Amino acid sequence: MKPLPKRLRAAAAAIEPRTYAPLEAVALVKSNATAKFDETLEAHVRLGIDPKYTDQQLRTTVALPKGTGRNIRIAVITRGEKVAEAKAAGAHLVGDEELVDTIAAGAMDFDLLIASPDMMPKVAKLGRVLGPRGLMPNPKTGTVTTDLAGAIAEFKAGKLEFRADRSGIVHVQFGKASFSPEDLLKNLKAVQETVDRNKPSGAKGRYWKSLYITSTMGPSVEVDVSALQGLEFEE
């Protein structure tokens, strides 16, 4: 096993084996994001759920108040006059059956896929391609809609889709290392509130098991969930 690079050893040495107050955790992860690019900060939430049961699944969206810091590439499958609407709203790719065939062939140069309801019978055949990547449009997450311009604007402004994986863990980004600690904290708070608000009906016992945050190339830090839940920001 190769030894850790000097940069990572120094970053890891700065982290104590304890849970950190939310702002302290965010500031520490930000300070450890010393790569030569603007690292993405991610939250990893371990929940007390078993997603193999339908009433213990979690899939939803969060609107990050300070944005994602990313230039998200959005593809839209629609037809008729909606094609021009999606293009005008800033979609990266727009098409009808032809785009469905392109995606089926393995071309997926996008981060998010939105579809109009009338195209879902065509999109359904892409389940095996899109499902494993978490890209299948879903009405519950706002990616199946007649308001294409509104959906595109929301996702470009900081709306993110996330779900719990098979182990009951949620992985979701909440900003960039270039953000201020205060802005990162507000985004992390939005993630926490969304996870709590969408608690599955079948969840039993302790819901939050742990919350760790990290940057793309840095070590993780455990956050005090109770302290994060108790935070309030002035309007």
Side-chain angles (χ1 to χ4, degrees):
M1 185 175 178
K2 294 183 179 180
L4 288 174
K6 182 179 180 180
R7 182 184 68 82
L8 287 181
R9 290 201 304 271
I15 300 172
E16 300 174 10
R18 62 178 176 87
T19 58
Y20 282 78
L23 184 57
E24 184 184 14
V26 167
L28 181 55
V29 170
K30 174 181 166 67
S31 68
N32 278 335
T34 56
K36 295 181 180 180
F37 61 93
D38 193 7
E39 296 184 46
T40 298
L41 269 67
E42 299 178 347
H44 302 275
V45 185
R46 186 172 186 85
L47 300 172
I49 58 175
D50 188 348
K52 73 179 180 182
Y53 299 106
T54 56
D55 64 349
Q56 295 189 47
Q57 295 174 356
L58 175 63
R59 182 179 181 182
T60 187
T61 58
V62 58
L64 299 179
K66 298 302 178 179
T68 64
R70 293 177 60 205
N71 182 18
I72 185 171
R73 298 168 301 172
I74 299 176
V76 177
I77 296 177
T78 189
R79 60 187 169 195
E81 61 184 21
K82 290 289 186 180
V83 171
E85 178 186 329
K87 288 180 178 179
H92 178 66
L93 293 171
V94 185
D96 48 22
E97 288 89 346
E98 186 176 344
L99 181 54
V100 172
D101 293 339
T102 299
I103 295 172
M108 286 184 282
D109 182 27
F110 54 86
D111 305 303
L112 179 77
L113 180 62
I114 297 173
S116 54
D118 60 328
M119 291 299 293
M120 282 308 294
K122 302 289 185 181
V123 176
K125 71 178 186 179
L126 299 175
R128 291 184 179 179
V129 177
L130 299 173
R133 297 172 181 246
L135 292 172
M136 191 68 181
N138 188 312
K140 293 182 179 179
T141 59
T143 48
V144 177
T145 179
T146 56
D147 183 13
L148 298 177
I152 292 168
E154 286 182 346
F155 281 104
K156 282 184 172 290
K159 185 176 180 180
L160 287 175
E161 178 183 351
F162 66 85
R163 65 167 69 190
D165 65 17
R166 294 179 180 180
S167 302
I169 300 175
V170 168
H171 311 275
V172 58
Q173 60 179 271
F174 65 99
K176 292 286 188 176
S178 56
F179 287 17
S180 70
E182 292 75 19
D183 284 353
L184 287 167
L185 183 59
K186 288 178 180 178
N187 279 355
L188 183 61
K189 176 65 177 176
V191 171
Q192 170 260 304
E193 289 179 339
T194 301
V195 171
D196 277 335
R197 188 166 55 248
N198 291 276
K199 181 179 180 179
S201 60
K204 301 175 182 177
R206 185 180 175 188
Y207 184 44
W208 286 78
K209 289 193 172 181
S210 65
L211 167 60
Y212 284 83
I213 60 173
T214 186
S215 62
T216 306
M217 302 293 289
S220 62
V221 172
E222 185 172 7
V223 181
D224 184 334
V225 175
S226 295
L228 182 61
Q229 290 171 323
L231 278 180
E232 294 184 3
F233 295 102
E234 293 183 3
E235 296 294 335

